[in-house]
Amino acid sequence: MPLDPQVRRYLQMAAILAEGPPTLESRRAGLDGLGRLTGPPVPVASVEPLSVAGAAGARPARLYRPLGRADGTGLLYFHGGGFVGGGLDAHDGIYRALAAASGCTVVAATYRLAPEHPFPAAVEDARAALAWVAGEAAALGLAPGRLAVGGDSAGANLAAGLCLWARGRLAVAAQLLLCPVLDAAGEGESHRTLATGYGLDRATLARDIAHYAGRADPADPRLSPLRAPSLAGLPPTLIHTAAYDMVRDDGAAFAARLAAEGVPVRHTCHPGMIHHFYGMGGLIPYAREALRGIGAELREALDAAPATPARPEPAAPPAA
């Protein structure tokens, strides 16, 4: 399918406004500006500020409670932004839409950003956040065994790595990965065929990863979850990719490996879409529809999860 007409117009305008390779400051400003593309805010019951544990001290977070009766289901969500930017305000529209569509309480977490705080700082903050949410579940109104972990782009990288680490440690009912960046080496075919002209480009992602990873081994599963020796024992997984996204093949390869290793997985590649399309509901009508469908899928996955966590089984050794 060709590019969606609204997507094409967005890319044309972005190309006209482009002023050469971004600096770190302009990259961050551009990521913050994405929040203006989400469209009118979706109503939720409440938005509450939180202070969530991080590896180096408390981190700001938010709690999004959906309209209607809460049933204890939750989603711990990590924002995208190339590991160098993004945040609570830029992703507010996504948190709201997911809470409304899924009926879940969304815990929107933050993490330290590179290059000021390089790898593995974000990984350590994600682990601390999950442990804190699990420990505070009752106070947050969350039921045992009903918590999903998710994220988009770089946040999906953190979510996938977190689920690898959580095996045998903490109960995760499902994982949700939107346009995930899962391979720091960028060896999928889409990294070459969609390297320029479709929003996220290869040079920008390479700069982001260089800021974040430095000299770290790209095969480290904490950096490249796709390269983990085993994916067995991971929770049921929902993966959403975009047909014109450079990192499309990361998600497809991860889905194929999960299926081969016995993990329930559902992979949707959205035709005509680009990276971060789900956050552009103000420009792309399909994005609003897609987020509603993603939320419904998450609800289905959590409804299928046991009401209480099973005793962890010794599984494949968790990633470091």
Side-chain angles (χ1 to χ4, degrees):
M1 178 178 175
L3 276 170
D4 177 273
Q6 286 83 11
V7 170
R8 185 179 298 279
R9 282 194 285 272
Y10 164 76
L11 292 174
Q12 290 170 343
M13 184 60 67
I16 291 171
L17 297 176
E19 298 180 350
T23 63
L24 178 61
E25 291 73 20
S26 66
R27 171 75 168 135
R28 285 174 168 170
L31 290 165
D32 289 342
L34 290 175
R36 295 192 294 269
L37 305 182
T38 56
V42 176
V44 294
S46 65
V47 180
E48 306 165 24
L50 281 180
S51 181
V52 171
R59 298 289 314 164
R62 288 180 189 162
L63 195 70
Y64 291 76
R65 296 195 187 277
L67 294 168
R69 185 168 59 88
D71 64 357
T73 54
L75 170 65
L76 174 62
Y77 193 92
F78 298 93
H79 66 80
F83 305 104
V84 302
L88 296 174
D89 290 339
H91 275 63
D92 177 76
I94 296 173
Y95 306 140
R96 287 172 172 272
L98 288 174
S102 68
C104 295
T105 295
V106 173
V107 182
T110 63
Y111 47 90
R112 288 170 291 167
L113 299 175
E116 295 85 353
H117 303 284
F119 172 83
V123 172
E124 293 168 349
D125 286 343
R127 293 177 179 181
L130 177 59
W132 184 89
V133 170
E136 297 293 324
L140 297 172
L142 304 178
R146 303 271 279 167
L147 178 67
V149 169
D152 63 276
S153 193
N157 174 290
L158 295 175
L162 185 58
C163 287
L164 286 166
W165 173 79
R167 289 180 298 187
R169 288 187 172 101
L170 296 167
V172 176
Q175 64 174 328
L176 171 65
L177 310 177
L178 308 183
C179 290
V181 177
L182 298 172
D183 182 10
E187 294 183 351
E189 181 184 359
S190 60
H191 283 262
R192 297 184 295 275
T193 60
L194 300 172
T196 60
Y198 298 99
L200 178 66
D201 61 63
R202 192 167 189 172
T204 298
L205 183 59
R207 283 191 295 269
D208 289 347
I209 290 178
H211 281 311
Y212 175 58
R215 297 180 180 274
D217 181 359
D220 188 327
R222 296 174 300 169
L223 186 59
S224 298
L226 181 58
R227 294 174 179 262
S230 172
L231 303 183
L234 288 177
T237 302
L238 306 173
I239 299 176
H240 288 264
T241 58
Y244 289 89
D245 182 6
M246 187 188 69
V247 298
R248 177 195 66 202
D249 290 352
D250 289 19
F254 200 64
R257 279 199 60 192
L258 288 167
E261 297 185 49
V263 177
V265 59
R266 182 171 179 176
H267 172 216
T268 303
C269 184
H270 294 266
M273 294 293 114
I274 58 173
H275 195 76
H276 195 72
F277 74 93
Y278 42 83
M280 300 181 182
L283 298 177
I284 306 169
Y286 177 83
R288 299 191 292 271
E289 175 188 339
L291 268 183
R292 286 192 291 268
I294 290 167
E297 278 188 7
L298 179 60
R299 162 55 56 183
E300 182 180 344
L302 288 172
D303 282 347
T308 56
R311 182 182 179 86
E313 295 291 337

